[in-house]
Amino acid sequence: MSVRPTATGARPDEPQAMSRRLRLVQVGPVAFRIDLRMAARVAFATAALLALGAWGLTLGSFRLPLADVVRALLGSAPADAAFIVMGLRLPRVLAAMLVGPALAMSGAIFQGLLRNPLVSPDVIGINAGASVAAVWWIISHRPPVLLPVVAFAGALGAAAAVYLLTWRGHISGARLILVGIGAHALLTAGTTALIVRANVYEAATAYRWMTGSLAGSDWGDVATLAAALALLVPAGLVLMWPLRALQYGDQTARSLGLPLERTRLALMAVGCALSAVAVSVAGPVGFVAFMVPHLARMLAGPVGGGLFLFTGALGGLLLLGADLLGQHALPVSLPVGVITAALGAPYFLFLLYRTNAQM
């Protein structure tokens, strides 16, 4: 017997089905509910990411069987296989598995905070701030080892400038987008001016960084990303409930006792930090922060802690898949930023078309 949907589109048996999927978990004084279906999605996406990473370790000019990769990870492989896996391929694979989630989670926070599906850190000047600082550092012949730190500082500086220029007693989402677009244009112009004034070798190095690449990733980059995500992902999870309350509008969120401006500031700080740490290692890889939150919502539903983790896992899958595609599936090796741009531009046009069709 079929069940008719209600006037709102919800099926009458959905609340009962939802309650059957939720499980209460209590850890000491903290209690929370887990959606079993969402947990299954996160587990499946994480398993797919690990499987893709293991397969990626076997690929290259010197192909290795999976058994040798496993032995290298366990420390029992021959010296040449151990060097290839542990010294060359594993840092790049792990960097992709960490940069992708950082970008995707950052995009999810900004799209939820501003209630605009066309917003991402690429659009509101965060990545442009990292780019102008990094290009200045490169053409100034300063130590390359500090490039990630400088890019990180540039991203945070751009975020702080956008926030302060937006502030008029409170933060308006529409005003922040406009200020962010203006900051992005100004910082991009500054980056172009720096490149024009540099000599051809410096300009080539700077431009290569700006395309977004994981080539040359090392264990220091992996440690930086892992430490940052260990701090920022729990903070993002804690902020998912306030973010969901903000989706219903300021009045509703205020009636729930939510401190609006402090919540927005905390969300912006976590979103900016996630984007900044990713850009500082891989450069401004485009469209990951824009595309992945859309895909996650289409597959799994509205904003929540589970969706935040699911978005991160999908971000890792997209970036690692794009990097492997750029390395091994094309006649010429391409940076991962070129691949994500090639995938993201048509998706962006499709989204614009669909948005206009609904208006």
Side-chain angles (χ1 to χ4, degrees):
M1 182 178 66
S2 63
V3 181
R4 292 177 180 277
T6 65
T8 60
R11 296 171 66 89
D13 58 346
E14 281 187 349
Q16 289 79 8
M18 185 69 182
S19 64
R20 284 196 297 271
R21 296 204 307 264
L22 295 178
R23 290 290 183 273
L24 181 65
V25 177
Q26 185 158 7
V27 181
V30 179
F32 54 91
R33 293 183 301 175
I34 290 180
D35 184 343
L36 295 180
R37 184 178 293 178
M38 182 64 78
R41 290 190 181 105
V42 174
F44 179 77
T46 304
L49 177 60
L50 294 175
L52 183 62
W55 181 60
L57 292 175
T58 68
L59 302 176
S61 55
F62 187 81
R63 285 184 174 263
L64 290 171
L66 188 58
D68 283 355
V69 171
V70 174
R71 280 195 288 271
L73 295 176
L74 296 176
S76 59
D80 54 349
F83 173 73
I84 291 172
V85 173
M86 301 301 293
L88 300 178
R89 296 180 186 172
L90 187 57
R92 181 164 181 167
V93 167
L94 290 178
M97 293 168 70
L98 296 172
V99 168
L103 289 172
M105 289 176 172
S106 175
I109 288 176
F110 278 106
Q111 288 180 8
L113 175 63
L114 302 177
R115 287 184 284 175
N116 190 323
L118 301 179
V119 169
S120 71
D122 321 48
V123 175
I124 59 174
I126 310 299
N127 293 355
S131 297
V132 71
V135 168
W136 169 76
W137 193 261
I138 290 170
I139 66 174
S140 302
H141 303 288
R142 298 179 188 273
V145 69
L146 294 179
L147 181 62
V149 179
V150 174
F152 184 82
L156 290 185
V162 170
Y163 185 84
L164 292 175
L165 291 171
T166 306
W167 180 261
R168 294 290 184 275
H170 67 282
I171 293 296
S172 162
R175 191 163 59 236
L176 190 145
I177 293 172
L178 292 175
V179 172
I181 291 173
H184 174 82
L186 182 63
L187 292 168
T188 301
T191 303
T192 303
L194 288 173
I195 291 178
V196 168
R197 295 188 58 180
N199 65 46
V200 65
Y201 301 106
E202 296 165 346
T205 304
Y207 193 75
R208 190 162 50 248
W209 183 88
M210 288 177 60
T211 58
S213 175
L214 291 165
S217 299
D218 56 25
W219 284 107
D221 297 329
V222 174
T224 300
L225 289 163
L229 289 182
L231 293 174
L232 296 172
V233 172
L237 282 173
V238 170
L239 290 168
M240 281 301 107
W241 182 85
L243 179 61
R244 191 165 186 171
L246 285 172
Q247 304 287 300
Y248 296 101
D250 288 3
Q251 189 172 356
T252 302
R254 194 178 289 111
S255 68
L256 293 172
L258 199 66
L260 296 183
E261 300 313 321
R262 276 187 291 169
T263 302
R264 288 195 177 102
L265 181 60
L267 284 164
M268 283 191 64
V270 174
C272 287
L274 282 168
S275 178
V277 73
V279 173
S280 69
V281 170
V285 180
F287 288 104
V288 176
F290 168 74
M291 278 192 299
V292 178
H294 280 279
L295 295 173
R297 284 196 299 273
M298 283 195 297
L299 293 173
V303 172
L307 184 72
F308 188 64
L309 296 177
F310 186 56
T311 302
L314 290 185
L317 272 172
L318 175 64
L319 199 70
L320 180 57
D323 192 41
L324 294 177
L325 181 68
Q327 286 186 77
H328 308 297
L330 302 174
V332 178
S333 181
L334 292 176
V336 68
V338 176
I339 304 298
T340 59
L343 297 173
Y347 185 80
F348 181 69
L349 294 175
F350 162 74
L351 190 64
L352 281 177
Y353 170 78
R354 197 180 67 170
T355 302
N356 288 332
Q358 292 173 349
M359 291 178 65

